Amino acid sequence: MESTNKTIIVFSGDLDKAMAAFIIANGAAAMGDEVTMFFTFWGLNMLRKPEKVKTSKKSFLQAMFGKMMPRGADKLGLSKMNFGGMGAKMMKLVMKQQNVTSIQELIESAREQGVKMIACNMSMDVMGIKEEELIDGLEFAGVATYLNEADQSNVNLFI
Amino acid sequence: MESTNKTIIVFSGDLDKAMAAFIIANGAAAMGDEVTMFFTFWGLNMLRKPEKVKTSKKSFLQAMFGKMMPRGADKLGLSKMNFGGMGAKMMKLVMKQQNVTSIQELIESAREQGVKMIACNMSMDVMGIKEEELIDGLEFAGVATYLNEADQSNVNLFI
Amino acid sequence: MESTNKTIIVFSGDLDKAMAAFIIANGAAAMGDEVTMFFTFWGLNMLRKPEKVKTSKKSFLQAMFGKMMPRGADKLGLSKMNFGGMGAKMMKLVMKQQNVTSIQELIESAREQGVKMIACNMSMDVMGIKEEELIDGLEFAGVATYLNEADQSNVNLFI
């Protein structure tokens, strides 16, 4: 029987795309599929702890990237109509009114359902993000690991 | 023999990405493949009827989203170089000069070729889009339906 | 045994997304997979020669698109935090500091590893890009060719 594993590359750091990625991941996990999410570039931001964390030394540029990028899922903006954060606030409010699961709950649920969450270590180097700045329960790997997972999956998305 | 079904998640509401999605969908349908397009978030906008439609009650935020988002495929902008709509106008003009099928014709052709078009009902709730505001011939479903279709397909794209 | 071919549609013309596409393509090629990259819309820009090339006649709009779009991989911006090119410069600098392969080296490596690079001829018509303006070693084809490749692959991404 063919595998029903799924992989999702989460490249984007937008709230709306993060929602889409985690809704698919949770849905597939609920149906019994093995799901691997591979977070790279801006996608890493949703895995950052909300508080500032003391880390090993960063270069000037890495520190600057770190300061400018959103810290955690609660800080993400929308890919469209963000209006300096107003759009994201509006969308979160309307999602609450419609009883749609929040992004934080979706991430938590993915972890509880055993979704494998991998942070791309090359992107972490470029953006100067250290392991201790990210939430717990992650694995750290590169493109070869992604490709191995994708080869064993029947649905592979880039978001 | 392996399935040659295709699924495309149309998340983006940009004219250029909509063109890409429908060109792939129509191409695959013409080659005899079963194609399912799953429209979610901004991708729903291209399915809106161009005229204002009287609907059941919306919340204030839903009504606001509805007003701000483009109504129908003719109103989409470009993902790059849109310049307040000028870029989209330029691209539509040059596509006409080059005899490239318009987005409206591509949507029509997809329907005629039997491409299954599903509007994501969770996104509709969030954005306050009602069934009566969307063009005819759609189905309405959620992530489980998408995953079932994807499991039976050999190419699954997120656009 | 199932095919391990890969296809990547490179729709985006952003430096960060181009990096992601070529890192995956090179990684897969290094593991012995056949890889096809299909460049369409803004993705064509990274294949442009950096110098202005004398071409056959373009329409006014095509010439305008050609002038406004980046010429070659060195001119790409970031999808986020580009700040008129500053962001891309910062990222290139930090990538150098971290010994990450540059986009130009990634493209060169993909060619050397035999990655098949196809430029979408419909997009070339729309954007008025001529074969002589693009780097060597490309093939030129349309959606049917893409779909044939995708049908023979086990991982198909849209970037």
Side-chain angles (χ1 to χ4, degrees):
Chain A
M1 215 195 77
E2 211 201 2
S3 157
T4 59
N5 293 6
K6 312 278 178 278
T7 72
I8 302 175
I9 296 179
V10 185
F11 173 96
S12 162
D14 302 311
L15 174 63
D16 41 354
K17 292 195 173 175
M19 293 285 304
F22 276 99
I23 288 167
I24 296 168
N26 277 297
M31 289 161 77
D33 304 341
E34 301 274 325
V35 182
T36 300
M37 302 178 84
F38 188 82
F39 296 85
T40 185
F41 283 87
W42 319 104
L44 290 169
N45 291 332
M46 68 189 76
L47 303 180
R48 293 175 83 192
K49 291 179 187 155
E51 69 274 11
K52 199 168 171 357
V53 175
K54 206 169 157 52
T55 67
S56 54
K57 204 173 158 39
K58 298 188 184 190
S59 77
F60 174 74
L61 282 175
Q62 286 178 328
M64 218 168 129
F65 263 115
K67 276 218 184 66
M68 293 167 67
M69 294 186 309
R71 241 192 216 108
D74 195 42
K75 299 291 197 309
L76 306 178
L78 291 183
S79 66
K80 297 269 157 197
M81 310 206 318
N82 193 45
F83 305 120
M86 265 305 294
K89 279 216 182 84
M90 266 176 68
M91 185 160 287
K92 281 189 268 194
L93 196 52
V94 81
M95 288 194 298
K96 208 171 197 176
Q97 290 170 352
Q98 299 294 321
N99 294 314
V100 173
T101 318
S102 74
I103 182 69
Q104 287 88 345
E105 292 166 312
L106 285 168
I107 295 175
E108 197 41 47
S109 158
R111 286 205 287 194
E112 280 166 19
Q113 291 199 84
V115 169
K116 196 189 289 185
M117 294 166 67
I118 302 178
C120 168
N121 43 25
M122 191 214 74
S123 301
M124 288 173 66
D125 285 348
V126 170
M127 293 173 156
I129 294 176
K130 310 286 182 181
E131 294 193 14
E132 57 269 31
E133 292 179 271
L134 299 180
I135 59 174
D136 296 331
L138 304 179
E139 300 179 28
F140 302 91
V143 66
T145 301
Y146 163 71
L147 286 165
N148 276 323
E149 299 278 354
D151 275 339
Q152 297 165 44
S153 301
N154 72 332
V155 176
N156 302 290
L157 302 174
F158 183 98
I159 294 186
Chain B
M1 215 195 75
E2 212 202 1
S3 157
T4 59
N5 293 6
K6 312 277 178 278
T7 71
I8 303 174
I9 295 179
V10 185
F11 174 95
S12 162
D14 302 312
L15 175 63
D16 40 355
K17 292 197 173 173
M19 292 284 304
F22 276 100
I23 287 168
I24 295 167
N26 277 296
M31 288 162 78
D33 303 342
E34 301 274 326
V35 182
T36 300
M37 302 178 85
F38 188 82
F39 297 84
T40 184
F41 282 86
W42 319 103
L44 289 169
N45 290 332
M46 68 188 76
L47 303 180
R48 292 174 84 191
K49 291 179 187 156
E51 70 275 12
K52 197 167 171 1
V53 175
K54 205 170 160 47
T55 67
S56 53
K57 204 170 160 40
K58 298 188 184 189
S59 77
F60 175 74
L61 283 174
Q62 286 178 327
M64 218 167 129
F65 264 115
K67 277 218 182 65
M68 293 168 67
M69 293 187 307
R71 240 192 216 108
D74 196 41
K75 299 291 197 310
L76 306 179
L78 292 182
S79 67
K80 297 267 157 200
M81 309 208 318
N82 193 46
F83 305 119
M86 264 305 293
K89 280 216 179 84
M90 268 177 66
M91 185 158 287
K92 282 189 265 193
L93 196 52
V94 80
M95 287 195 300
K96 207 171 197 176
Q97 289 170 353
Q98 298 295 322
N99 295 313
V100 174
T101 318
S102 74
I103 182 67
Q104 288 87 347
E105 291 166 313
L106 285 168
I107 295 175
E108 195 43 45
S109 157
R111 286 205 286 195
E112 280 165 18
Q113 290 199 87
V115 170
K116 195 190 288 187
M117 294 165 69
I118 301 179
C120 168
N121 43 26
M122 191 215 73
S123 302
M124 289 172 66
D125 284 348
V126 170
M127 293 172 155
I129 295 176
K130 309 285 182 181
E131 294 194 14
E132 57 268 32
E133 292 179 271
L134 299 179
I135 58 174
D136 295 331
L138 304 179
E139 300 179 26
F140 302 91
V143 66
T145 301
Y146 163 71
L147 286 165
N148 275 322
E149 299 279 352
D151 275 338
Q152 297 165 45
S153 301
N154 72 332
V155 176
N156 302 291
L157 303 173
F158 183 99
I159 295 186
Chain C
M1 214 195 75
E2 212 202 2
S3 156
T4 60
N5 293 5
K6 310 279 179 277
T7 72
I8 303 174
I9 296 179
V10 185
F11 174 95
S12 161
D14 301 312
L15 174 63
D16 42 354
K17 292 197 173 173
M19 292 285 304
F22 276 100
I23 288 168
I24 296 167
N26 277 296
M31 288 162 77
D33 303 341
E34 301 272 327
V35 182
T36 300
M37 301 178 84
F38 188 82
F39 296 85
T40 184
F41 283 87
W42 318 103
L44 290 169
N45 291 332
M46 67 189 76
L47 303 179
R48 293 174 83 189
K49 292 178 186 157
E51 70 274 11
K52 198 167 169 3
V53 175
K54 206 170 157 48
T55 67
S56 53
K57 203 172 161 36
K58 297 188 184 189
S59 77
F60 174 74
L61 282 175
Q62 286 178 327
M64 219 168 128
F65 264 115
K67 277 218 183 66
M68 293 168 66
M69 293 186 309
R71 241 192 215 106
D74 196 41
K75 300 289 199 309
L76 305 180
L78 292 183
S79 67
K80 296 270 157 196
M81 309 206 318
N82 193 45
F83 305 120
M86 264 306 293
K89 279 214 181 87
M90 268 177 66
M91 186 160 286
K92 281 189 266 193
L93 196 53
V94 82
M95 287 194 298
K96 209 172 195 173
Q97 291 169 352
Q98 298 295 322
N99 294 314
V100 174
T101 317
S102 74
I103 182 69
Q104 287 88 348
E105 291 166 313
L106 285 169
I107 295 175
E108 196 42 46
S109 158
R111 286 205 287 195
E112 279 165 17
Q113 290 200 85
V115 169
K116 195 189 286 185
M117 294 165 68
I118 302 178
C120 168
N121 44 25
M122 191 214 73
S123 301
M124 289 173 66
D125 285 348
V126 170
M127 293 174 154
I129 294 176
K130 309 286 183 180
E131 293 192 15
E132 56 268 31
E133 293 179 89
L134 299 180
I135 60 175
D136 295 332
L138 304 179
E139 300 180 26
F140 302 92
V143 66
T145 300
Y146 163 71
L147 286 165
N148 276 322
E149 300 279 352
D151 275 339
Q152 297 164 45
S153 302
N154 72 333
V155 177
N156 302 290
L157 303 174
F158 183 99
I159 295 185

